[in-house]
Amino acid sequence: MLDALWTAATRHPFLDAVRDGTIGDADFDRWLAQDALFVADLLTFQARLLARAPRPAQGVLAGGCVALVDELDWFESKSAERGVDLEQPALAATAAYRELLQRLDTMPVDAALTALWVIERVYLLAWSSAISSTSPLREFVEHWTAPGFTAYVDALGELATPEGAEDVVAEVLTREVAFWDMALA
Ligand code: HMH
């Protein structure tokens, strides 16, 4: 059941359309603005997680917080280039994901670290399925599949304890599927 969710969250018609260059600008831009909101929510979650993280996790989490601040800068500059207004209300999938991130604050730190690993790994695998040398959006795909991001996901994997955490893993994957679905809604 988890395998099916991993597949659903990392193979999606939205990603196929980005790869094939058939995605509509309005669909991509809607998704982009919602993902900027998500990244801001993720930074809030990750900063709180850093505050209660065990000593060996601090370096990876702190580096990740800095990377998320840089990511928000990047979203702002790419959105400006595309003429996308980032001041948009959260759609349902974004709001539901925000609620999960807030709930992770109340869970044991191991569960929250494992959830963070899933959040980042699923994104890396999803964008890897959209790699293409001809997509007009390849600059975006390359950004989200860069070697530094892979190294970060691997480092989070060293901190994650997915055994016994199937419920929270499934919750994150369910939110990810809904997030891709939103982009084509
Ligand atoms: C929906 N999941 C979603 N957006 C992201 N930017 C990430 C994961 C990874 O940061």
Side-chain angles (χ1 to χ4, degrees), residues 4 9 11 23 32 50 62 73 104 122 136 160 168-169 171 176 185:
R11 296 287 124 96
I23 191 76
L32 193 69
L50 171 59
D73 290 343
L104 288 172
V122 73
V168 75
V169 171
E171 263 197 285
E176 287 286 330

Side-chain angles (χ1 to χ4, degrees), residues 6-30:
W6 274 104
T7 303
T10 54
R11 296 287 124 96
H12 194 277
F14 175 81
L15 296 158
D16 295 342
V18 170
R19 182 193 58 228
D20 299 342
T22 56
I23 191 76
D25 279 338
D27 286 338
F28 187 77
D29 291 344
R30 175 179 344 99

Side-chain angles (χ1 to χ4, degrees), residues 31 34-36 38-39 42 46 68 71 75 97 116 118-124 127 144 149 152 172 175-177 179-180 182:
W31 175 85
Q34 293 300 312
D35 209 45
F38 173 82
V39 172
L42 185 62
Q46 189 153 335
L68 287 172
E71 183 77 353
F75 268 86
Y97 214 148
L116 178 60
V118 177
I119 288 167
E120 297 296 14
R121 180 166 194 261
V122 73
Y123 199 71
L124 173 65
W127 283 112
W144 292 315
F149 184 40
Y152 176 56
V172 171
R175 295 273 65 86
E176 287 286 330
V177 174
F179 210 90
W180 296 126
M182 165 183 69

Side-chain angles (χ1 to χ4, degrees), residues 1-11 173-174 177:
M1 182 233 159
L2 269 188
D3 280 358
L5 270 178
W6 274 104
T7 303
T10 54
R11 296 287 124 96
L173 294 175
T174 301
V177 174

Side-chain angles (χ1 to χ4, degrees), residues 34-62:
Q34 293 300 312
D35 209 45
L37 291 171
F38 173 82
V39 172
D41 292 339
L42 185 62
L43 175 59
T44 301
F45 160 70
Q46 189 153 335
R48 292 187 199 278
L49 181 58
L50 171 59
R52 65 185 176 117
R55 179 79 189 93
Q58 289 171 346
V60 175
L61 292 177

